[in-house]
Amino acid sequence: MAKMTGIRLAKRLDEVGFSDIVQIRNKVMELRAEGVAVHSLHGGEPFFETPGDIKYAAIQALVENQTHYAPSSGVLPLRKALVEKLARKNRLHVTTDEVIATVGGSQALYGAFQSVLDPGDDALVFSPYWTPIADLITGAQARPLRVPSSTARRNGIRNTLEQFSTPQTRAIYYNTPQNPSGLVFTRAEAEDVAAFAIERDLVVIADEAYEDLVYDGEHVSIASLPGMLERTITCFTFSKTYAMTGWRAGYAVAQEPFMTALRKIVLYSTNGVATPMQYAMIHALTTPESKIASIREEYRKRRDLLVAGLNEVGLECELPAGAFYAFPNVEKLHKNSRTAAQILLEKAHIATIPGSVFGAQGEGHLRFGYAITLKEIEDCVDALRRFFA
Ligand SMILES: Cc1ncc(COP(=O)(O)O)c(C=O)c1O
């Protein structure tokens, strides 16, 4: 019999899940340990290494003893560089008090949901969505209301948001380009979301992790639309654009009262971003747009190659407009995406992520991450051809 004890977990964590994706990673590692060559399309990491000049900026900061406590919201030169970038690239005109450095985009999102949601509140989430979002919302003791993106695009964004919202709705999570579908909302769609947020007096939590990876259309920062800056918390990361996933570098942009809340959350969780990393972030922000554009072209090649291969074997896939994921319908393999992923992994040694992990609206699909080398994509497409032959 279990011993009676008063030790228990805080209840607010009961409903918070722990990444399903880890299980797939473990299975891949198991197969590799058995000597099986696995095609790794389950990840979300850029195919290139962090550029050398960014690494040297961190080394230089270390050598120059930038190793002390920094202001918890970020050193002023970083906040100035962010303000300049936001005005130039995102049409967000803010002050150095309206940006905060965070430990990855993840801490920005965590802070955003914690700042806005009370227990019992609801948050609208376009679905499929990046898995941790539902956990960040339930971790704030609030409820995610999943809004099917495809229905919203087909039937009208405002009608659909209206249909799924409740009197307790306080926020909309708005991710463009989207993980896992690669969807990029148009300017007109962003305007619809904005109009709904204003009409209902909602806060928008914008996630622009893939802002630099738009192949078709344009990236619109929703906070740049009239009346939106004051009701939007925009979350950014250095992970994807600069291949800095392991550096844990990100930032958030918001006006008051949100910035006070974000400052408290950052202060009491990490007391800021590691000081040498902040100098690497400043340096990363000097990357010429032409270099970012050439990286984007590299991703476009990968997208075109993979999506053509998927369609060739009958896994129907629309050309994703952004991010670095393809999200084909795989019902031909199996209706249950977990089973489909398992079949593909065991029989063709291709690792993907089941669509249902990204919400019920992802069922029947698999996420293929194409932020890998062209050779790896070619090999994966060959493996698909052999499997479906
Ligand atoms: C949609 C989305 N938002 C935010 C992030 C956060 O990235 P990070 O915490 O590495 O900055 C990711 C990472 O995969 C993502 O896919």
Side-chain angles (χ1 to χ4, degrees):
M1 243 194 41
K3 214 169 113 189
M4 292 288 280
T5 160
I7 294 174
R8 62 164 183 82
L9 201 59
K11 289 191 182 62
R12 69 178 171 280
L13 289 173
D14 283 351
E15 300 300 315
V16 178
F18 196 87
S19 176
D20 255 339
I21 298 179
V22 173
Q23 289 175 28
I24 291 151
R25 215 177 286 151
N26 291 347
K27 179 77 189 158
V28 171
M29 285 193 282
E30 236 174 71
L31 282 169
R32 286 207 173 118
E34 291 166 16
V36 176
V38 180
H39 305 282
S40 302
L41 283 90
H42 57 296
E45 291 238 22
F47 63 90
F48 60 104
E49 299 296 346
T50 307
D53 55 329
I54 300 177
K55 292 182 198 166
Y56 282 112
I59 293 170
Q60 191 182 347
L62 286 167
V63 172
E64 289 174 359
N65 294 316
Q66 299 290 0
T67 53
H68 300 270
Y69 284 130
S72 60
S73 301
V75 294
L76 190 58
L78 173 59
R79 287 185 287 125
K80 279 188 174 158
L82 290 172
V83 163
E84 186 280 323
K85 176 266 176 186
L86 290 161
R88 174 172 53 81
K89 215 160 147 166
N90 305 94
R91 299 192 194 170
L92 298 179
H93 300 284
V94 296
T95 67
T96 51
D97 289 333
E98 293 166 339
V99 292
I100 184 166
T102 57
V103 179
S106 297
Q107 191 184 32
L109 288 164
Y110 175 80
F113 287 111
Q114 289 289 329
S115 301
V116 172
L117 299 174
D118 275 322
D121 283 346
D122 290 335
L124 293 159
V125 176
F126 287 102
S127 180
Y129 54 87
W130 185 46
T131 320
I133 298 304
D135 296 308
L136 288 172
I137 294 170
T138 45
Q141 294 176 284
R143 189 171 58 148
L145 303 174
R146 295 167 178 86
V147 181
S149 301
S150 54
T151 310
R153 295 195 107 182
R154 197 175 47 244
N155 297 354
I157 301 265
R158 281 178 82 168
N159 293 344
T160 314
L161 286 172
E162 182 74 57
Q163 187 190 331
F164 283 85
S165 62
T166 62
Q168 291 75 40
T169 301
R170 283 264 294 140
I172 308 175
Y173 168 72
Y174 180 73
N175 173 218
T176 184
Q178 229 175 50
N179 176 3
S181 64
L183 180 162
V184 173
F185 283 112
T186 63
R187 179 174 289 276
E189 288 169 333
E191 285 167 355
D192 279 351
V193 174
F196 184 78
I198 291 169
E199 183 187 295
R200 291 294 208 93
D201 204 14
L202 305 177
V203 178
V204 172
I205 296 176
D207 181 349
E208 306 191 10
Y210 299 92
E211 63 169 333
D212 285 308
L213 300 180
V214 175
Y215 315 105
D216 306 310
E218 59 171 333
H219 177 69
V220 179
S221 291
I222 194 165
S224 70
L225 301 179
M228 288 305 288
L229 194 57
E230 62 263 41
R231 64 176 65 250
T232 306
I233 303 176
T234 312
C235 304
F236 293 95
T237 177
F238 285 69
S239 289
K240 314 292 173 174
T241 302
Y242 308 103
M244 290 175 69
T245 47
W247 296 64
R248 316 306 307 125
Y251 53 102
V253 186
Q255 294 194 327
E256 292 299 357
F258 305 116
M259 196 37 86
T260 294
L262 291 168
R263 282 201 199 105
K264 289 181 192 174
I265 288 159
V266 168
L267 175 63
Y268 296 123
S269 54
T270 58
N271 194 0
V273 173
T275 311
M277 299 304 125
Q278 296 193 39
Y279 287 90
M281 290 159 83
I282 296 171
H283 189 83
L285 290 167
T286 66
T287 306
E289 279 305 313
S290 58
K291 186 165 174 197
I292 295 174
S294 66
I295 295 169
R296 179 163 49 244
E297 286 315 301
E298 286 297 317
Y299 281 115
R300 184 198 298 275
K301 281 188 220 158
R302 286 156 173 75
R303 174 194 71 158
D304 293 351
L305 190 64
L306 175 65
V307 172
L310 291 168
N311 283 305
E312 184 193 315
V313 298
L315 298 181
E316 271 173 44
C317 187
E318 275 178 40
L319 207 54
F324 45 50
Y325 308 102
F327 203 58
N329 184 310
V330 294
E331 287 176 337
K332 160 179 169 168
L333 257 175
H334 203 282
K335 284 221 179 306
N336 181 312
S337 58
R338 281 179 193 274
T339 313
Q342 203 178 342
I343 295 170
L344 218 48
L345 182 57
E346 283 171 6
K347 305 261 161 62
H349 302 147
I350 298 173
T352 58
I353 306 290
S356 58
V357 160
F358 307 101
Q361 288 73 20
E363 188 50 299
H365 293 72
L366 289 180
R367 191 190 77 176
F368 287 68
Y370 58 81
I372 52 179
T373 65
L374 285 166
K375 170 79 171 70
E376 286 169 318
I377 295 175
E378 279 162 9
D379 290 347
C380 166
V381 171
D382 282 344
L384 283 171
R385 285 192 190 112
R386 282 196 301 277
F387 177 73
F388 283 101

